[in-house]
Amino acid sequence: MVPMEKDFEPLKTRLREINERLDSDEQAYFGALIDNFSGSTSEFQRIMRDLGKFGSKIGDGSKFEVYREVQHLFHKAPLKE
């Protein structure tokens, strides 16, 4: 049985919004992570680690709220049709 692929576009869209808030050098680095994201847990963990490094740049409110939102988008990604 072949596992179904998940649609991570909603997650990538949100990460691109966050990326726009970063400095240009951070955007280049983080943008490549987003564009190359295939859905693996290790890639996602790297993204989450980097979000922590960017600190308050990732959102206007609580950065933990942004973390939860991103985690939710990853774990609840719908299956591709």
Side-chain angles (χ1 to χ4, degrees):
M1 180 176 192
V2 176
M4 298 289 290
E5 284 190 45
K6 290 190 170 192
D7 180 7
F8 289 106
E9 247 349 275
L11 171 63
K12 287 182 173 185
T13 298
R14 180 63 177 113
L15 291 173
R16 286 183 187 108
E17 291 169 0
I18 292 168
N19 193 43
E20 290 175 9
R21 302 174 61 99
L22 305 176
D23 299 334
S24 59
D25 58 332
E26 293 168 334
Q27 285 181 357
Y29 166 77
F30 196 61
L33 290 180
I34 297 166
D35 293 340
N36 296 321
F37 181 67
S38 67
S40 79
T41 301
S42 62
E43 288 175 307
F44 182 69
Q45 289 171 339
R46 182 174 180 184
I47 286 171
M48 292 300 288
R49 183 190 72 227
D50 289 340
L51 284 178
K53 290 179 184 177
F54 300 141
S56 62
K57 295 178 191 176
I58 66 172
D60 293 327
S62 166
K63 66 182 176 182
F64 297 106
E65 187 175 315
V66 176
Y67 296 157
R68 282 192 301 271
E69 176 188 6
V70 170
Q71 286 178 328
H72 177 78
L73 289 169
F74 176 72
H75 292 296
K76 301 296 183 185
L79 295 176
K80 286 185 178 180
E81 295 185 18

